[in-house]
Amino acid sequence: MDEPKREAMLSTEDVIERIRQAMADGRPLSVVRVGDGENICLAQYKVWSIRKTLGTRWAKLSRTTNWKGVRLPNVALREQLIASIKKADIVGIPYENDQEILAKQHTLRPLTDRCFRRYKIRPKAVCHTFVNRHMVEYESFWEMLRGKRAVVISRWAGSLKRWVGTKYNDFDIDFVKLIRIDRFEEIPKVLRKMERVDCDIVLISAGVNAVILAERLAREQGRIAIDFGKSAVFMVKGDRKVRPWRPRANKSRVDVSAAATTPDAAGVSSAPPLSGGGEGA
């Protein structure tokens, strides 16, 4: 396989423009991302032994908590990830010697390259894994959403809707559907819930499951679907790992609303977001 080098990657602005153009043209588009969590799920049995896979912190957490949205080993997940990454329009991958993703190097780009070679994955276009975090830093991202109908698929969907309503009220972003997902086995149910939804864009924060959902929503339902990672929960909680662009009038405001840190009514306040990696995507 011709391994994509850093200089061949789309920039964050390139990705935003491709999403904007797909909206303007009414074309489906999927943006998915591969980090250490996705790599570990891809590696099970075929690239790494299952013993090595289950020895990682990520896999251990998948077996002892509900944080990851999947329990390893899971061959069905691996096969669906392979299929979706092959078919996705844009795939986020780690840089070589990536210093931005806080995970062990052997679980990042070296493992991405090994998995992609093993499964003959040749992405149509690549960007960095953390494109989700950086997109929200650009005014053009929020202007792209102005007046649009959005769906959020996430454990934190309700909280994100409230937060955006507070920070970007003048943008008239209409959240037409909020769908909670907690685990891999719920993917078919989520797809069914989306069948009759009319929207312009789908933002998905669902750990490794977001890769499958984003690609299938684009391919099967003709949607623009973005693997949004932890951007949702980081913005809601005010975590400095994500620094979203803010309208000038709102930059000096101090948000004291409890809604900004309150998960969905169906959620649990202490529940962490579904995570794609060690640092999380």
Side-chain angles (χ1 to χ4, degrees):
M1 160 183 163
D2 294 328
E3 296 169 3
K5 301 300 182 181
R6 181 167 181 168
E7 59 269 23
M9 288 184 173
L10 297 174
S11 69
T12 301
E13 292 164 294
D14 291 335
V15 175
I16 294 171
E17 176 57 23
R18 291 201 180 191
I19 298 169
R20 189 201 64 77
Q21 193 60 57
M23 279 187 182
D25 296 343
R27 290 184 290 103
L29 181 77
S30 56
V31 179
V32 308
R33 301 173 311 102
V34 175
D36 56 317
E38 289 77 13
N39 282 335
I40 289 165
C41 293
L42 288 168
Q44 53 182 324
Y45 291 111
K46 296 287 189 177
V47 178
W48 282 356
S49 70
I50 195 60
R51 181 171 183 174
K52 181 173 182 177
T53 302
L54 296 182
T56 63
R57 180 175 179 272
W58 198 100
K60 289 176 181 177
L61 287 171
S62 83
R63 296 170 63 81
T64 59
T65 73
N66 68 344
W67 295 5
K68 302 302 181 185
V70 65
R71 178 183 171 88
L72 296 187
N74 190 318
V75 173
L77 168 73
R78 184 194 69 202
E79 294 304 301
Q80 290 185 44
L81 283 173
I82 293 168
S84 287
I85 295 168
K86 284 183 175 181
K87 295 171 184 175
D89 296 301
I90 301 174
V91 179
I93 62 173
Y95 293 137
E96 296 177 45
N97 192 29
D98 201 304
Q99 300 301 308
E100 189 170 1
I101 304 174
L102 300 182
K104 293 183 178 179
Q105 283 298 319
H106 74 280
T107 67
L108 295 175
R109 182 59 177 272
L111 188 53
T112 301
D113 289 342
R114 286 189 63 188
C115 289
F116 281 21
R117 281 196 300 269
R118 177 64 178 80
Y119 303 123
K120 296 180 172 59
I121 297 173
R122 296 176 176 86
K124 300 173 188 176
V126 294
C127 62
H128 186 247
T129 302
F130 277 179
V131 68
N132 61 313
R133 298 192 184 189
H134 295 307
M135 281 195 300
V136 300
E137 298 171 352
Y138 287 82
E139 179 180 1
S140 56
F141 173 80
W142 297 100
E143 287 293 345
M144 178 181 69
L145 295 181
R146 185 185 289 276
K148 296 299 190 294
R149 298 160 300 173
V151 171
V152 181
I153 300 173
S154 173
R155 185 180 289 175
W156 288 82
S159 298
L160 181 63
K161 175 183 177 180
R162 291 187 290 272
W163 184 85
V164 170
T166 299
K167 310 296 185 184
Y168 304 89
N169 183 56
D170 293 341
F171 281 62
D172 296 321
I173 301 169
D174 184 10
F175 291 92
V176 296
K177 187 80 171 176
L178 307 176
I179 301 176
R180 181 185 175 104
I181 181 171
D182 289 289
R183 59 186 186 276
F184 168 70
E185 290 76 13
E186 294 175 316
I187 288 177
K189 179 176 71 175
V190 172
L191 290 170
R192 287 194 300 271
K193 286 183 176 181
M194 284 294 299
E195 285 176 353
R196 289 186 170 87
V197 178
D198 193 8
C199 67
D200 299 300
I201 190 168
V202 186
L203 303 175
I204 309 165
S205 294
V208 297
N209 303 313
V211 173
I212 299 164
L213 278 168
E215 186 277 320
R216 289 188 62 183
L217 282 168
R219 176 170 50 87
E220 297 174 8
Q221 299 185 18
R223 303 188 183 279
I224 296 172
I226 313 300
D227 176 355
F228 205 48
K230 284 188 175 179
S231 295
V233 66
F234 284 160
M235 289 192 296
V236 164
K237 288 196 163 187
D239 192 309
R240 300 295 285 175
K241 292 186 184 75
V242 171
R243 301 187 180 192
W245 173 86
R246 296 280 298 281
R248 186 174 301 277
N250 288 335
K251 284 181 179 177
S252 61
R253 293 181 186 173
V254 177
D255 180 21
V256 294
S257 171
T261 55
T262 303
D264 304 340
V268 179
S269 60
S270 60
L274 297 184
S275 171
E279 154 67 1

